[in-house]
């Protein structure tokens, strides 16, 4: 972590009055909705010796970069193909070069909560799963594209925690529920399908944008379902209209 220049900037910002307010706001919101995710970060902190606050800041990367006017990293690309007999979902992870030697795949089994989870996912160093790609015991296969609105919705949940929650999805309707139960602080796109169950042989892309209405209870979505077709997605909004997201 000591060699991460972005993290140093986040720590500096979090020590200002404005930065502390942003940190506390998002920590309170995530703790209220996803207390298990906070426990996962605390576990990484306990095992690595890296302070919890620094690890939590890493999970706000997209939101903090937008606040600090850092240049967006347009990195990942996805190709989706469907036919009558199979579905193909291809993804490349062109992230920060530091991830090339420090990222890792983890198989996770969570049994100490009401929600039993089992999934395999690519992890960035010091971070919980979800931001890249993974699959779970219900047959879900999901990949993410970062999207870069011009503003942060401070009444939303940071995108990485929504991404992590998607790894528990059991069906298309469950994915939709997770995405719409509360507003999101920043944008992303999820490409996904199911290898088993009633939603097998289907692929979807959903673009998610923050809802900037003060009382917003859910984000703005654009849903594309493939039907014997192909589709591409990158790190830009394609389906949602131009506006405050671009």
């Amino acid at each position: 972590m000591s060699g991460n220049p972005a993290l140093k900037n986040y720590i500096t910002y979090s020590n200002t009055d404005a930065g502390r307010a942003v940190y506390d706001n998002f920590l309170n919101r995530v703790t209220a909705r996803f207390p298990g995710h906070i426990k996962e970060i605390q576990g990484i902190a306990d095992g690595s010796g890296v302070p919890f606050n620094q690890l939590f800041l890493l999970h706000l990367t997209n939101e903090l970069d937008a606040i600090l006017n850092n240049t967006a990293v347009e990195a990942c690309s996805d190709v989706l193909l469907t036919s009558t007999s199979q579905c193909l979902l291809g993804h490349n992870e062109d992230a920060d070069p530091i991830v090339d030697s420090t990222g890792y795949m983890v198989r996770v089994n969570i049994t100490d909560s009401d929600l039993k989870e089992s999934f395999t996912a690519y992890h960035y160093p010091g971070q919980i799963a979800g931001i890249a790609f993974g699959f779970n015991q219900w047959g879900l296969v999901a990949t993410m594209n970062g999207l870069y609105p011009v503003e942060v919705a401070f009444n939303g949940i940071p995108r990485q925690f929504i991404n992590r929650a998607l790894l528990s999805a059991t069906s298309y309707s469950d994915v939709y529920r997770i995405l719409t139960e509360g507003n999101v602080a920043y944008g992303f796109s999820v490409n996904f399908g199911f290898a088993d169950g009633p939603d097998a042989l289907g692929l979807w892309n959903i673009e998610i944008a923050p809802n900037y209405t003060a009382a917003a209870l859910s984000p703005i979505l654009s849903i594309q379902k493939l039907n014997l077709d192909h589709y591409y997605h990158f790190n830009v909004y394609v389906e949602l209209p131009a506006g405050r997201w671009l």
Side-chain angles (χ1 to χ4, degrees):
M1 295 297 122
S2 60
N4 188 332
L7 178 57
K8 293 179 180 178
N9 292 335
Y10 303 156
I11 294 171
T12 299
Y13 176 67
S14 71
N15 288 328
T16 67
D17 290 342
R20 172 52 62 178
V22 169
Y23 178 96
D24 289 343
N25 169 62
F26 285 139
L27 178 60
N28 291 337
R29 291 181 182 276
V30 175
T31 301
R33 184 172 173 191
F34 298 119
H37 300 176
I38 295 298
K39 288 176 63 177
E40 291 178 27
I41 297 174
Q42 186 61 62
I44 297 173
D46 292 344
S48 66
V50 178
F52 172 90
N53 69 301
Q54 294 186 18
L55 295 177
F56 188 75
L57 287 169
L58 283 178
H59 292 77
L60 308 181
T61 292
N62 291 127
E63 290 78 13
L64 292 177
D65 281 348
I67 293 169
L68 298 172
N69 296 314
N70 293 337
T71 302
V73 178
E74 298 181 357
C76 301
S77 304
D78 286 81
V79 178
L80 298 80
L81 299 167
T82 62
S83 72
T84 56
S85 61
Q86 64 181 343
C87 296
L88 300 175
L89 172 54
H91 173 85
N92 77 320
E93 193 67 24
D94 286 343
D96 189 305
I98 194 174
V99 178
D100 182 50
S101 59
T102 57
Y104 44 91
M105 295 289 293
V106 179
R107 182 174 181 179
V108 178
N109 290 287
I110 298 175
T111 60
D112 63 345
S113 66
D114 293 335
L115 178 63
K116 304 297 187 287
E117 294 186 71
S118 179
F119 60 82
T120 301
Y122 186 79
H123 288 60
Y124 284 20
Q127 301 182 44
I128 62 176
I131 199 170
F133 57 90
F135 55 91
N136 72 12
Q137 81 270 36
W138 304 106
L140 170 76
V141 179
T143 69
M144 305 295 165
N145 301 124
L147 299 178
Y148 304 100
V150 296
E151 299 177 42
V152 174
F154 293 101
N155 64 344
I157 297 290
R159 67 155 281 207
Q160 184 157 353
F161 296 97
I162 304 296
N163 296 166
R164 165 63 184 85
L166 289 171
L167 287 171
S168 68
T170 62
S171 63
Y172 167 80
S173 60
D174 206 23
V175 169
Y176 184 84
R177 174 191 62 79
I178 291 167
L179 292 175
T180 57
E181 277 188 335
N183 197 17
V184 64
Y186 209 60
F188 65 95
S189 166
V190 55
N191 312 284
F192 69 97
F194 285 85
D196 302 301
D199 294 319
L201 293 182
L203 287 177
W204 290 263
N205 166 268
I206 303 181
E207 291 183 347
I208 299 93
N211 189 331
Y212 297 111
T213 305
L217 298 178
S218 61
I220 297 170
L221 308 182
S222 175
I223 303 172
Q224 310 296 317
K225 182 179 181 181
L226 277 71
N227 182 22
L228 303 182
D229 201 357
H230 67 276
Y231 190 78
Y232 304 95
H233 206 281
F234 311 100
N235 297 103
V236 294
Y237 282 106
V238 176
E239 307 298 341
L240 286 173
R244 296 172 76 178
W245 306 301
L246 302 178

